[in-house]
Amino acid sequence: MTLTVFDLVAADDGRLVANLAADAAVSSLVLLLMPASEDKKSLNLKAACTLSAVIIPLGLGSVFLPRRLTAVALLCKTAVPQLFWCVFALSRYRRHFEDMKGVFKNSSVMKSAVDFSRLFFFTIGLWISLYATMASLFAAHPVLQWMLFVLALGLDVLMLYASYTKRTILVSRKMEGRIKDVISGSLRPVCGPSSGDESASMSRLYSKILKYLDTRKPFLEPGFDLSEMSFAMLTNKSYVSRCINCFSGRNFCQFINYYRIRYATELWRKNPRLKVSDVAVRSGFSSVVSFNMAFRTNMNENPSTYLSRIKSEAPMKLPG
């Protein structure tokens, strides 16, 4: 907004729209630094404030400096955030790409989505700001200037929305909710495989476990245990247990209860009139007490509270 006010004060009709497009593109780059769901807020806020403190004087200079220096100030105004972002990205993302094991951790899924979203929109903002700068320097055709302005303003509004809602934009709201539910439902730290070969092997086993649970639904049997799971996977119990611990952050009992609670919420979504005892039995729990405990653990609320909420047609929260 400050950059826009500066350019409106200058009122250079031949370059005004291109300058406003550059301002909106630069603003979007600053907004990309704002804290997202899995960021350290203090670090990101400091980066955004630092970049703003550098850009605003450059924007002021591009308006009030002598005309022979205006082009230099304009280039600096758009080039500084681009260089800043390159340094920020290298310092922030290097550790993520060095350790590929983190891709298999639930807590890394949201961070990876946030990082990919940032890089995607940064690339768009980078090109818009470059084209807007060139359009301003060479007094491009008004139609081109307006096209750049609309694109830059659209990106700026989108980044403002993302900053306000803490969303990644590229991932749907429903999927983001499921990822965050999985993260919040992890009851212990996630371990990592000790080698690359073991990581690949355990990844395949975990995919096989998930497919087995989703298609066969053995967890609906109250007596389903680790022995039956390992028999179905054609491996030993300790390896299955370690695989589940590493990739889900839960022990076997917590992992199976998670699937049972997810099934219970699906039953209530289809028929909210079902009793708690009926849902508990149909979901594979041996008692209502164990069902209530597992429900509070995975949903952060009691079954009665959840039922009241879905009956009043409030937004539903499904685990996973």
Side-chain angles (χ1 to χ4, degrees):
M1 292 176 64
T2 304
L3 296 178
T4 301
V5 170
F6 289 162
D7 284 325
L8 290 175
V9 170
D12 186 348
D13 295 334
R15 298 178 173 85
L16 177 60
V17 179
N19 287 339
L20 294 179
D23 293 340
V26 168
S27 175
S28 66
L29 296 182
V30 176
L31 289 170
L32 274 169
L33 293 171
M34 295 300 289
S37 57
E38 295 298 317
D39 286 326
K40 293 182 178 179
K41 294 183 178 180
S42 59
L43 177 62
N44 282 70
L45 282 174
K46 288 179 181 178
C49 292
T50 301
L51 183 55
S52 299
V54 174
I55 291 174
I56 290 176
L58 293 173
L60 184 63
S62 66
V63 174
F64 296 106
L65 283 177
R67 191 167 185 81
R68 64 180 181 276
L69 299 177
T70 300
V72 176
L74 178 63
L75 286 173
C76 290
K77 181 174 68 174
T78 55
V80 166
Q82 296 162 10
L83 294 174
F84 185 96
W85 242 97
C86 290
V87 174
F88 178 81
L90 286 174
S91 63
R92 176 181 172 83
Y93 302 144
R94 184 182 61 181
R95 64 181 182 272
H96 294 310
F97 293 114
E98 283 180 348
D99 188 6
M100 293 306 293
K101 296 175 184 177
V103 174
F104 300 105
K105 300 179 182 179
N106 281 335
S107 58
S108 296
V109 174
M110 199 63 199
K111 292 179 181 178
S112 299
V114 169
D115 290 345
F116 178 79
S117 177
R118 275 208 179 100
L119 290 174
F120 177 80
F121 286 113
F122 165 68
T123 302
I124 296 176
L126 173 65
W127 284 108
I128 292 177
S129 61
L130 286 174
Y131 279 115
T133 301
M134 294 299 103
S136 177
L137 290 176
F138 299 105
H141 193 279
V143 174
L144 177 59
Q145 294 190 36
W146 275 106
M147 289 177 60
L148 289 170
F149 174 67
V150 171
L151 289 174
L153 184 61
L155 179 63
D156 194 31
V157 171
L158 190 62
M159 292 303 96
L160 183 61
Y161 170 75
S163 175
Y164 180 77
T165 60
K166 311 298 185 195
R167 292 195 55 214
T168 62
I169 303 299
L170 295 183
V171 180
S172 68
R173 186 187 298 274
K174 183 177 180 180
M175 183 59 67
E176 281 189 11
R178 289 184 173 183
I179 293 173
K180 291 176 182 178
D181 287 341
V182 170
I183 295 173
S184 63
S186 296
L187 304 179
R188 58 185 296 278
V190 182
C191 64
S194 58
S195 67
D197 291 338
E198 185 181 15
S199 175
S201 175
M202 292 182 69
S203 177
R204 289 192 294 270
L205 175 61
Y206 188 66
S207 298
K208 188 177 178 181
I209 290 173
L210 296 182
K211 184 178 180 180
Y212 176 66
L213 293 175
D214 287 332
T215 56
R216 303 291 295 276
K217 292 182 172 53
F219 53 87
L220 297 182
E221 293 295 329
F224 181 69
D225 57 14
L226 184 58
S227 298
E228 293 183 42
M229 174 70 84
S230 59
F231 180 80
M233 296 298 105
L234 302 177
T235 186
N236 59 72
K237 294 191 294 184
S238 61
Y239 194 65
V240 171
S241 177
R242 183 163 179 258
C243 176
I244 292 174
N245 287 339
C246 289
F247 288 97
S248 74
R250 299 172 171 91
N251 60 36
F252 178 81
C253 182
Q254 293 164 349
F255 185 65
I256 295 302
N257 283 344
Y258 159 77
Y259 268 84
R260 287 170 174 165
I261 294 301
R262 189 175 71 169
Y263 185 81
T265 58
E266 291 174 354
L267 290 177
W268 266 326
R269 182 180 58 180
K270 296 176 182 177
N271 185 5
R273 293 187 296 273
L274 289 173
K275 295 181 180 179
V276 173
S277 57
D278 293 336
V279 172
V281 172
R282 292 171 63 175
S283 301
F285 288 91
S286 57
S287 68
V288 175
V289 174
S290 60
F291 171 77
N292 288 335
M293 292 178 61
F295 198 95
R296 283 195 296 268
T297 298
N298 286 275
M299 300 295 292
N300 296 318
E301 60 183 345
N302 294 322
S304 57
T305 305
Y306 178 83
L307 266 177
S308 299
R309 183 157 56 80
I310 63 173
K311 285 180 180 178
S312 62
E313 298 183 352
M316 292 180 297
K317 176 184 178 183
L318 291 176

